[in-house]
Each structure stands twice: as structure tokens, then as C-alpha cells.
């Protein structure tokens, strides 16, 4: 130490190495840096004592503070649940119009509904209720089992062809597969179904076949789908008058449905969700665009000031 | 052991024989040298008074502003100047800005940049000398230091003295007051971000947000460190401005200058001696003693000089005593130095192409901002089209698209907004919940964003593809209009 050389300009010791007359300074670490480094070591040791730190076998040192992320998360989730509970409580007792009149409740119902829909319903019904072949579109105004908030919620509760005792149940016979009708008869009734639907302009049904099919329709199909094909929600029979088809709208696809009589299954959600969540979910679906009013629509009395002129002759959807 | 003395003690003794040594002059500051404490002496005179006045005004503005009230109506924020992060608003007296209007702040910054360019072109580093927070707070700290420890010589003696109760008491008192000032600085800062009276109460009752205490602590620390212990080093080493300065100053810009042509050759002067054949500078080093940057202005323009003009006051005092004209050190320009060398009279050219340009640019930016504020839109519309499903076919064959509308009402009163849509023939709105007398009308609350979900229905024959759509909202009372374009999608028949 004593014989180490000092640089005359900086006053710092040199390392003693010399390259072509250049010497290297042995500048010590800055004090403040060194102290922070020592302090960090102390902090680390204190941390080991206080917090979970070292793995031992299958466990780990728990630390005297007993900190655990798992417990914290459980507590956080619990706190969140109880914080939201009053809102769900209010939701469970609110009607569609009550929800719509209360911006806070509405916002909550939308958010909660969207989140649950995304987790459980979207897989089949698509984002935003876009639907898929065999899985009904929820965003349109066609409802198999009814489109009021109460109807939607009931469908959610009991499911469709599910294991709930009161489940929505309808079973279209597989007319072709089960040989209830001959192949020719299936063809004819398909032409008839097309002829009474809005698809007739598009698919140009065979008039003669349709005429033959009418008799079969009235005998086999009218009980559920109605004499005019308007459908019957009480038995879950879709309307055949529009041009929206659950299993596809080409001639082949329509025929295939007559032949196979397919029907999908939706689980009953009653046991999975509480009343508030179910109401939120129903509200979200109801709001996708095709929701219908709860009470049977009052007979439309056209007021003096006519609401917006209806385009293409379709009536304005009634006020929700 | 090869002993090398770092500081030449003999030289130091000599320097102390003279009253003041410029610790930051080029010769004195070797590359490896540690910082030497500077003990600025109190100056008296016009510029010192100007600086006191500037300090009082600027500190006053800083501390008082958050406490000013401004009535914006019932239940609204009543703080005149407030940056409300939670509410996402910036309030400045009659101006109230929303987050999407930060470009006003950009305009303000551009204006500030041009203002500082202009001031530099006119008077050099006036910003540094009088208005920079670093200068103002350092000046305040030195004031406290002087009040407790005495002026330059007393402070030097105190620092050189060995520790005693008296010295400790003075040091403790000084640092305590410094920390108090620092805390008050940090404390005032947070008032710009929350309701000052409430926050004030909460801070002292311990109910304020931890973030508030964090920021007070942070600013206390920086104020104490920057103004108390780092001082001139901030200007010399940390601040980029001294470097940018060179580009801003031209030959005609005024800055604090030692008029060497008049002062040299310098030398001590005895009363009664003739002034013939010598300069006016009597080498009394008063200009060095008062300099907070530890330099000697007689070495010429220097990076460290913040143009505080205290050396002007100091030298003018001396000139008065020795009976020579004032202004041996004065605001002067390089151009004048040259002119005098050639025997021409001084000229002060404040109006030059450069200053005119800066002035015009400032006027343009200011005009833009005033125009923007005067014609500020208080109604805005954002339309977000639902992308899933892209479109919905309805039972009657018509096609529906869904939209989320954000109706932005930036006024402090509720508004009735009529919503309309323009597009291909037959396209119309479907929003049963909003229909009022046949019109689609939404009630937007004061100072808020209203979210509205709305459907648009098009006839069955709309045709596949994307169609242009234009949403309009109209304030029924005032006729204000906001417009937003969107699209309508339809697919081919199933
Ligand atoms: S204060 Fe004036 S006279 Fe004294 S040394 Fe400085 S320039 Fe010279
Ligand atoms: S040289 Fe003069 S103007 Fe420059 S910092 Fe020092 S006292 Fe201020």
C-alpha cells in the first residue's frame, strides 16, 4: 500500500501497470455507490427474513410477515365480489325499463353481461351474438323462444334440450332419415317451405312440387310451424316466412333440415350464475339489437305525429 | 510513497491575500478538481433590486396561483388553475381543456420557446439571470444562508473554523429553513393537481393520497439538493441551455460584458493618482466576490455566466467610489466592442432581422392559439362501428349495422342533441329508447361524454359491400353541429 504510486494530476493511486508510458488509475468506487451497494445487501437479508424467499424441498421459507400472493388474490377477488354484490342485488330485481332508466345500473348490466357472454356464450353464438350455422344469431330480431327480457332470461335459466326439468324442449322429427316421408315427399315439402318464405324470390320454387308439398306440410308441419308458416314460439318452432335459416338458406340446406330435423343444445345456466348475473346476461343479449318489450306489445295506435316514416313498409320497432 | 500535493497551498495563500478568487475560472478548474464552495457576496444596486423584485413576483405567482378561485357554476371545479388528471381536464381561468385538446399546450410550449429565443437575441441569458427556477430558488437559499451565517467573509470564516456549538447551531438552522422552503415548494406543486384547500387539510391530517406525499418528498429533495447544495453546478453541468445559448446569441445581442477596452490595463489605484495611461479597472475583484457562478467576468464571455448582472452592481459601486463613469461592466454587445475599437460610437440594435422573425413567429403562433380558443368546438362526436357481427339481417330482409356513439358535450350545461344519419337512400336510424316526437334525441349531461348505442337499418336492396355513412349531432337549442363519418356494411343474400 505504502509504495503504491500516486498520479500527480488526480492524486489517485495507479494500478502499477504501465503500457507504453500510459498508466492506469485505480479509482475507487464512489462512496455513495458503495454505501448503496452495502445497503442493498442489508435490505436483501432483511427481505429473506420477512418475505417468502428460499425454496426448500417442496416448500419454501414463508417469511415472518406471512405474505402470500395467493391469499392476497383470494382476498382481492372476495373484496371485488362483495363490492359488486349490491349492484347484482339491484339488478336481480330490476326490469328492462328500470335498468334502462338508471344509467349506473345499465352501465353495470352491460359490462357484466358482456364479460359473462364473452366467457361462456361467445364460443357458440359468436362475438356480439353473430351466430353460426346451428347456433342462433342473437343480434337479429328473430327469436325461437321469445325475445323479451323475461323470455331470454328464462331460456338462459332452463337451457334448450338441456338437463333442466323445465328445459325448453322441441324436437323436429327427422322426416327423411326416419323414413316418415319419402325422399320425393321431402323434396316437395322443401319446395313448399321455400314458396311460403321470403326466399321464394331468390330460390324460385318448383310450383308443381310446392303444390304437392302443401298437403304434406299441413299434415306434418303445420302443428308446430303454423298453417301459414309463421312459427310458434311456445313450442320453439321458428317462423318459415322470413329468409333467415338456422341451418343455412340454400335449397340443399333447407332440404337437409327437413330430412334430419336437427336441434342444438344449450346448457341450463341457472345453477352456474346467480340471479343478478343472469339478468345482466339477458339484458346484454336483449340489447344486441333485437330485444322485444316485456309486456305484450300494446296495440299500435298511430299517434298524430307519426314516428319516423317506416322504410320498405316495415314498422318501427316498438319502444322498449 | 511519492507524495504529490494536489493543491498548491502557497498559491492558495496568495489568492486569499486578494479578496476573491474565481474558483471556476478556466485556470482554477482542473479536470479532476473537486467542487469548491462559492461564497457570493451581497451586491447592492439596480440589478440586485430587479432580481429581488423578480424573485418576489415569481415566487408569489408560484405559491399563490393554486389558491385563486374561479367560479364555473354550481358543483363545478372552482380552482382557477388546475391540472385534473382524474377528471381529465385542464382548467386555466376561463379556459377548460379536454385531453384531446392538448395541442393548446403544444402551442404554449412553442410560444415559450420563441419567447426565450427572442429574449436571448435581445438580452442574452435574461431567463437564466432572473427567471429560471434554479436561479430564483438558489438566490432564495443564498439569502437564507446570508441571513444566518453572515455575508461572504463571515461564511468563509465559519466554514474554515473548527466545529463548535455556535457553528453547529447556525448550520442546523440554515439546513432546517432550507428543508422547510423545499417542502413548501413541493407542497405548492401538488396543489396544481388537486383542490388546494382540501389537499392542504388532507396533507396535514395525513389523509392525502400516498402519491401526494411521494411528490412532495421528491420535490423537497430536488429543491434542497439543486438550490442548496448543487447550485452553479446545475447551470454548468446539467442544464443544456448554456450550450444552446451559443446559437441564439449574435453579435448584437446584449449580455453582461466587461468592457476591457476601457478597463485595461487594470491595476490597483491610489487616491489622487492619475488615471492617465491606465484602465478603469482597479482590480478590486468585487465583481468576482459577488458572482454566484464563481467566475471572473473580466475573462470574457463564459459558459458558466448566467447573466445575473450582479457584477454590474458590484463594479458600479466601485466606480462610484473611485469617481469613474459607471458601466465598466454593463449589458453590451460584441458589435459595440468592435465599434469602439474602430473609434465608432456604441449602437444598440434591438430591431434586427432575427428579432423581427422571432417576434413575427410569436405573433403567428399566438394568433393561431387565440383563434383556436375563440372558435373552440364545444360539441364533438365519435362513432365506433360494431365489428362483430359486421351486419345483421332482419326478419323482413332489411340489414342492420350497430354503432356506439360518443356524444361529447364540453359545455357546462346539459344539451339536447338530435342525432341524424345520412347515407344511401332508405337508410335510417333505429333507436327506440331515444325517439322523441319522431326525432332521435339524446340528453347529454354537462361537461361529459355520453355513450349511446344506436342501430342503422338499410333496405334489403342496399347491395353488398361498404357504404358511406355520415352521423350528425345537432344541439337543438344553439344549432351547434358535430359530424363524424362512418361506414355501413352489408353482405349478399344468404
Ligand atoms: S469590480 Fe470592476 S473595478 Fe473591481 S475588479 Fe471587477 S471590473 Fe475591476
Ligand atoms: S459573471 Fe456576472 S453576470 Fe455572470 S454569473 Fe457572475 S455575477 Fe452574474
Amino acid at each position: 500500500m505504502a509504495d503504491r504510486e500516486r498520479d500527480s494530476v488526480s492524486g489517485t493511486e495507479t494500478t502499477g501497470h504501465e503500457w507504453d508510458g500510459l498508466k492506469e488509475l485505480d479509482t475507487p468506487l464512489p462512496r455513495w455507490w458503495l454505501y448503496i451497494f452495502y445497503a442493498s445487501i442489508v435490505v436483501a437479508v432483511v427481505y429473506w427474513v420477512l418475505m417468502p424467499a428460499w425454496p426448500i424441498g417442496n416448500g419454501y421459507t414463508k417469511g415472518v410477515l406471512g405474505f402470500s400472493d395467493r391469499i392476497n388474490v383470494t382476498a382481492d377477488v372476495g373484496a371485488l365480489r362483495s363490492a359488486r354484490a349490491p349492484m347484482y342485488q339491484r339488478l336481480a330485481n330490476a326490469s328492462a325499463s328500470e335498468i334502462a332508466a338508471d344509467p349506473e345500473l345499465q352501465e353495470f348490466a352491460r359490462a357484466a353481461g358482456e364479460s359473462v357472454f364473452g366467457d361462456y356464450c361467445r364460443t357458440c353464438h359468436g362475438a356480439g351474438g353473430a351466430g353460426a350455422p346451428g347456433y342462433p344469431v342473437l343480434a337479429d330480431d328473430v327469436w325461437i323462444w321469445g325475445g323479451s327480457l323475461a323470455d331470454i332470461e328464462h331460456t338462459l335459466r332452463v337451457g334448450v334440450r338441456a338437463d333442466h326439468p323445465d328445459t325448453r324442449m322441441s324436437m323436429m322429427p327427422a322426416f327423411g332419415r326416419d323414413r316418415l316421408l319419402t325422399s320425393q315427399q321431402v323434396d316437395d315439402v322443401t319446395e313448399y317451405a321455400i314458396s311460403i318464405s321470403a326466399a321464394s324470390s331468390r330460390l324460385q320454387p318448383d310450383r308443381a312440387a310446392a303444390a304437392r308439398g302443401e298437403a304434406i306440410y299441413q299434415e306434418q308441419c303445420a302443428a308446430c310451424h303454423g298453417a301459414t308458416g309463421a312459427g310458434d314460439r311456445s313450442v320453439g318452432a321458428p317462423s318459415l316466412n322470413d329468409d333467415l335459416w338456422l341451418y343455412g338458406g340454400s335449397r340443399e340446406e333447407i332440404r337437409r333440415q327437413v330430412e334430419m330435423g336437427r336441434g342444438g343444445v344449450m346448457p341450463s345456466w341457472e345453477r352456474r350464475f346467480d340471479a343478478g348475473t343472469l339478468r345482466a346476461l339477458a339484458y346484454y343479449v336483449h340489447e344486441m339489437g333485437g330485444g322485444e318489450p316485456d309486456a305484450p306489445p300494446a296495440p299500435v295506435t298511430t299517434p298524430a305525429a307519426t314516428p319516423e316514416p317506416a322504410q320498405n313498409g316495415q314498422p318501427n320497432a316498438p319502444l322498449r | 510513497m511519492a507524495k504529490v500535493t494536489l493543491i498548491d497551498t502557497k498559491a492558495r495563500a496568495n489568492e486569499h491575500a486578494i479578496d476573491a478568487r474565481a474558483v471556476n475560472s478556466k485556470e482554477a478548474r482542473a479536470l479532476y478538481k473537486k467542487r469548491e464552495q462559492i461564497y457570493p457576496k451581497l451586491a447592492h444596486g439596480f440589478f440586485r433590486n430587479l432580481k429581488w423584485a423578480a424573485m418576489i413576483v415569481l415566487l408569489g405567482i408560484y405559491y399563490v396561483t393554486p389558491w385563486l378561485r374561479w367560479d364555473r357554476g354550481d358543483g363545478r371545479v372552482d380552482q382557477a388553475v388546475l391540472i385534473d388528471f382524474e377528471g381529465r381536464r385542464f382548467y386555466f381561468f376561463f379556459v377548460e381543456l379536454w385531453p384531446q385538446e392538448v395541442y393548446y399546450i403544444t402551442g404554449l410550449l412553442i410560444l415559450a420557446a420563441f419567447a426565450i429565443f427572442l429574449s436571448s437575441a435581445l438580452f442574452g441569458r435574461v431567463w437564466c439571470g432572473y427567471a429560471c427556477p434554479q436561479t430564483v430558488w438558489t438566490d432564495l437559499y443564498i439569502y437564507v444562508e446570508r441571513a444566518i451565517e453572515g455575508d461572504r467573509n463571515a461564511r468563509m470564516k465559519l466554514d474554515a473554523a473548527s466545529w463548535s456549538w455556535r457553528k453547529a447551531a447556525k448550520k442546523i438552522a440554515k439546513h432546517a429553513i432550507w428543508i422547510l422552503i423545499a417542502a413548501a415548494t413541493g407542497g405548492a406543486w401538488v396543489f396544481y393537481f388537486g383542490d388546494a384547500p382540501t389537499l392542504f387539510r388532507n396533507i396535514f391530517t395525513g389523509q392525502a393520497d400516498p402519491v401526494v406525499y411521494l411528490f412532495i418528498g421528491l420535490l423537497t429533495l430536488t429543491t434542497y439538493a439543486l438550490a442548496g447544495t448543487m447550485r452553479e453546478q446545475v447551470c454548468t453541468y446539467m442544464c443544456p441551455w448554456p450550450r444552446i445559448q451559443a446559437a441564439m446569441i449574435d453579435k448584437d445581442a446584449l449580455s453582461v460584458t466587461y468592457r476591457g477596452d476601457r478597463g485595461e490595463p487594470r491595476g490597483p489605484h491610489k487616491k489622487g493618482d492619475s488615471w492617465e495611461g491606465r484602465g478603469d479597472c482597479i482590480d478590486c475583484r468585487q465583481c468576482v466576490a459577488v458572482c454566484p457562478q464563481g467566475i471572473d467576468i473580466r475573462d470574457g464571455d463564459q459558459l458558466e455566466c448566467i447573466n445575473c448582472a450582479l457584477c454590474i452592481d458590484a463594479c458600479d459601486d466601485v466606480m462610484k467610489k473611485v469617481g469613474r463613469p459607471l458601466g465598466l461592466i454593463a449589458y453590451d454587445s460584441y458589435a459595440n466592442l468592435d465599434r469602439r475599437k474602430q473609434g465608432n460610437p456604441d449602437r444598440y440594435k434591438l430591431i434586427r432581422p432575427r428579432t423581427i422573425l422571432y417576434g413575427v413567429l410569436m405573433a403567428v403562433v399566438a394568433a393561431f392559439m387565440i383563434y383556436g380558443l375563440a372558435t373552440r368546438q364545444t360539441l364533438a362526436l365519435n362513432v365506433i362501428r360494431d365489428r362483430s357481427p359486421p351486419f345483421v339481417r332482419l326478419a323482413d330482409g332489411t340489414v342492420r349495422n350497430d354503432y356506439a356513439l360518443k356524444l361529447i358535450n364540453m359545455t357546462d350545461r346539459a344539451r339536447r342533441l338530435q342525432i341524424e344519419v345520412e347515407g344511401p337512400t332508405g337508410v335510417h336510424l333505429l333507436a327506440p329508447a331515444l325517439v322523441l316526437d319522431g326525432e332521435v334525441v339524446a340528453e347529454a349531461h354537462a361537461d361529459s361524454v355520453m355513450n349511446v348505442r344506436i342501430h342503422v337499418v338499410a333496405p334489403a336492396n342496399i347491395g353488398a359491400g361498404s357504404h358511406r355513412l355520415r352521423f350528425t349531432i345537432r344541439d337543438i337549442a344553439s344549432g351547434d353541429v358535430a359530424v363524424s363519418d362512418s361506414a355501413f356494411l352489408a353482405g349478399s343474400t344468404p
Side-chain angles (χ1 to χ4, degrees):
Chain A
M1 191 60 197
D3 47 6
R4 280 187 74 176
E5 189 189 7
R6 270 178 189 275
D7 169 55
S8 60
V9 180
S10 61
T12 310
E13 288 182 352
T14 70
T15 55
H17 308 152
E18 190 177 333
W19 295 273
D20 296 341
L22 294 179
K23 290 179 188 170
E24 190 185 10
L25 293 184
D26 192 10
T27 311
L29 285 169
R31 275 299 131 105
W32 61 267
W33 193 96
L34 208 59
Y35 291 145
I36 290 176
F37 178 61
Y38 292 149
S40 311
I41 294 173
V42 175
V43 168
V45 174
V46 172
Y47 189 93
W48 296 340
V49 176
L50 297 181
M51 304 288 277
W54 291 97
I56 342 167
N58 284 334
Y60 56 90
T61 57
K62 296 269 191 307
V64 298
L65 290 186
F67 178 89
S68 159
D69 268 331
R70 191 171 298 236
I71 293 171
N72 289 352
V73 166
T74 317
D76 283 355
V77 171
L80 204 60
R81 275 222 183 94
S82 47
R84 287 175 181 170
M87 274 314 248
Y88 278 119
Q89 197 58 48
R90 273 171 66 192
L91 209 50
N93 301 318
S95 72
S97 53
E98 276 163 2
I99 296 173
D102 181 344
E104 193 195 3
L105 199 58
Q106 189 181 38
E107 202 62 32
F108 186 84
R110 280 180 186 153
E114 183 174 3
S115 140
V116 179
F117 187 88
D119 284 350
Y120 294 94
C121 317
R122 197 182 135 148
T123 327
C124 295
H125 286 289
Y135 303 99
V137 178
L138 302 177
D140 64 14
D141 56 349
V142 168
W143 300 95
I144 299 172
W145 296 99
S148 71
L149 189 70
D151 284 340
I152 295 171
E153 194 175 317
H154 187 72
T155 309
L156 282 167
R157 280 179 183 279
V158 300
V160 177
R161 302 177 193 97
D163 54 359
H164 191 282
D166 299 324
T167 192
R168 305 273 202 197
M169 179 57 81
S170 71
M171 211 59 97
M172 175 167 166
F175 290 102
R177 190 191 61 207
D178 293 347
R179 299 189 198 290
L180 302 173
L181 297 175
T182 65
S183 180
Q184 176 64 47
Q185 285 174 314
V186 171
D187 283 346
D188 293 347
V189 87
T190 301
E191 291 307 306
Y192 179 71
I194 291 171
S195 76
I196 59 169
S197 80
S200 62
S201 59
R202 176 166 68 82
L203 295 177
Q204 304 297 337
D206 176 341
R207 291 288 155 201
R212 287 197 300 276
E214 180 170 8
I216 307 164
Y217 177 89
Q218 295 304 344
E219 191 178 305
Q220 301 284 350
C221 317
C224 293
H225 286 289
T228 58
D232 183 352
R233 287 175 177 182
S234 64
V235 293
S239 159
L240 302 176
N241 296 151
D242 56 31
D243 194 9
L244 301 172
W245 308 88
L246 183 52
Y247 287 93
S250 71
R251 177 174 265 107
E252 293 67 39
E253 284 165 329
I254 296 169
R255 186 189 186 281
R256 195 160 162 70
Q257 181 57 13
V258 179
E259 186 187 351
M260 306 298 287
R262 289 162 297 187
V265 171
M266 179 171 97
S268 146
W269 297 104
E270 195 170 55
R271 267 162 296 158
R272 185 79 73 114
F273 301 132
D274 59 37
T277 308
L278 281 167
R279 181 66 44 91
L281 191 50
Y283 187 77
Y284 176 71
V285 172
H286 187 260
E287 253 212 336
M288 279 175 173
E292 294 168 359
D294 257 343
V300 182
T301 48
T302 322
T306 333
E308 216 169 307
Q311 315 278 343
N312 320 311
Q314 102 274 21
N316 268 341
L319 288 173
R320 252 184 276 165
Chain B
M1 179 174 156
K3 228 184 154 191
V4 177
T5 30
L6 275 180
I7 297 160
D8 184 351
T9 36
K10 224 166 41 190
R12 188 187 233 180
N14 279 342
E15 268 167 330
H16 269 279
I18 311 164
D19 180 37
R21 195 169 52 89
V23 299
N24 280 341
S25 67
K26 216 162 125 203
E27 297 75 34
R29 204 186 50 213
L31 188 58
Y32 288 103
K33 213 185 81 173
K34 275 204 174 132
R35 180 203 183 213
E36 268 187 71
Q37 182 66 35
I38 298 167
Y39 301 92
K41 187 179 166 184
L42 178 61
H44 300 277
F46 174 74
F47 291 106
R48 180 62 268 182
N49 290 339
L50 191 61
K51 271 171 71 71
W52 287 137
M55 182 202 279
I56 291 168
V57 170
L58 293 171
L59 288 178
I61 291 175
Y62 176 70
Y63 285 110
V64 171
T65 304
W67 294 91
L68 298 178
R69 300 290 104 182
W70 189 267
D71 186 18
R72 293 191 179 83
D74 259 1
R76 304 286 324 283
V77 170
D78 69 343
Q79 185 154 321
V81 178
L82 178 68
I83 300 160
D84 181 359
F85 278 121
E86 263 172 34
R88 304 198 192 126
R89 296 283 182 287
F90 170 61
Y91 300 95
F92 185 83
F93 296 95
F94 56 93
V95 183
E96 182 187 333
L97 297 184
W98 287 48
Q100 62 266 42
E101 299 175 300
V102 278
Y103 49 81
Y104 287 114
I105 314 276
T106 314
L108 220 62
L109 290 177
I110 295 174
L111 209 59
F114 283 134
I116 206 163
F117 291 174
L118 179 64
S119 71
S120 301
L122 291 173
F123 308 113
R125 292 173 68 176
V126 272
W127 162 260
C128 300
Y130 301 87
C132 175
Q134 174 63 25
T135 300
V136 171
W137 262 271
T138 302
D139 225 15
L140 180 64
Y141 270 48
I142 293 176
Y143 173 82
V144 171
E145 188 169 73
R146 194 179 287 129
I148 293 173
E149 297 181 356
D151 207 356
R152 176 180 162 86
N153 288 338
R155 296 211 297 276
M156 290 173 82
K157 225 190 271 165
L158 185 71
D159 275 6
S162 51
W163 281 98
S164 66
W165 286 112
R166 205 182 68 93
K167 179 173 176 177
K170 286 195 171 192
K171 291 284 172 195
I172 289 169
K174 177 179 83 174
H175 286 278
I177 295 179
W178 278 2
I179 289 171
L180 260 174
I181 295 174
T185 307
W189 179 262
V190 298
F191 292 154
Y192 283 87
F193 299 88
D195 184 53
T198 322
L199 209 52
F200 186 77
R201 212 174 325 111
N202 288 352
I203 287 170
F204 286 102
T205 52
Q207 289 165 348
D209 199 282
V211 178
V212 169
Y213 294 110
L214 181 77
F215 270 90
I216 295 178
L218 226 74
L219 282 145
T220 304
L221 192 75
T222 50
T223 310
Y224 174 77
L226 296 183
T229 61
M230 293 167 77
R231 295 190 181 171
E232 80 286 349
Q233 301 171 89
V234 176
C235 308
T236 313
Y237 303 118
M238 289 166 67
C239 180
W241 187 234
R243 277 87 186 166
I244 302 171
Q245 193 66 25
M248 298 287 106
I249 289 183
D250 58 12
K251 279 181 103 55
D252 281 304
L254 294 177
S255 68
V256 177
T257 311
Y258 164 70
R259 287 169 168 157
D261 54 321
R262 194 189 123 188
E264 301 296 326
R266 61 181 86 156
H269 177 267
K270 272 207 207 83
K271 216 173 184 169
D273 281 0
S274 157
W275 290 96
E276 275 310 310
R278 57 155 296 152
D280 280 350
C281 175
I282 59 165
D283 209 7
C284 62
R285 292 184 162 256
Q286 287 303 313
C287 50
V288 177
V290 297
C291 179
Q293 300 297 103
I295 54 170
D296 186 340
I297 187 70
R298 295 173 302 168
D299 295 345
D301 209 3
Q302 290 153 77
L303 176 76
E304 291 85 354
C305 176
I306 56 168
N307 271 233
C308 65
L310 293 178
C311 50
I312 299 183
D313 280 348
C315 188
D316 278 353
D317 257 2
V318 175
M319 291 297 111
K320 260 183 236 159
K321 271 184 209 139
V322 300
R324 299 298 295 170
L326 305 187
L328 176 55
I329 304 176
Y331 275 102
D332 208 346
S333 65
Y334 285 110
N336 278 346
L337 228 57
D338 290 344
R339 286 193 193 102
R340 287 197 296 271
K341 251 182 225 156
Q342 288 153 13
N344 295 329
D346 287 351
R347 273 181 64 202
Y348 295 96
K349 285 170 64 182
L350 293 184
I351 299 171
R352 313 191 294 277
R354 183 191 280 251
T355 57
I356 292 172
L357 178 70
Y358 291 150
V360 168
L361 286 175
M362 275 178 76
V364 169
V365 176
F368 262 113
M369 286 185 62
I370 291 169
Y371 175 79
L373 278 176
T375 60
R376 178 173 172 261
Q377 284 293 330
T378 54
L379 190 65
L381 172 67
N382 287 342
V383 176
I384 303 154
R385 205 180 149 277
D386 278 11
R387 277 173 301 178
S388 178
F391 60 89
V392 180
R393 191 168 291 282
L394 301 182
D396 58 10
T398 55
V399 184
R400 197 189 76 214
N401 277 202
D402 304 328
Y403 302 84
L405 266 54
K406 282 185 191 298
L407 316 181
I408 304 168
N409 176 15
M410 300 187 220
T411 57
D412 47 16
R413 62 199 147 75
R415 289 171 141 190
R416 278 196 156 183
L417 302 172
Q418 184 186 338
I419 306 171
E420 286 163 359
V421 70
E422 279 171 75
T425 0
V427 163
H428 65 280
L429 289 175
L430 183 65
L434 300 175
V435 172
L436 190 86
D437 292 345
E439 310 280 13
V440 180
V441 173
E443 304 268 356
H445 294 297
D447 191 48
S448 65
V449 179
M450 185 187 189
N451 291 307
V452 173
R453 214 173 118 77
I454 223 163
H455 312 295
V456 174
V457 178
N461 61 7
I462 175 90
S466 172
H467 306 271
R468 283 163 166 284
L469 218 55
R470 165 164 292 188
F471 287 89
T472 308
I473 52 173
R474 191 185 313 279
D475 183 338
I476 295 174
S478 72
D480 275 4
V481 164
V483 172
S484 181
D485 286 334
S486 189
F488 188 95
L489 277 192
S492 50
T493 41

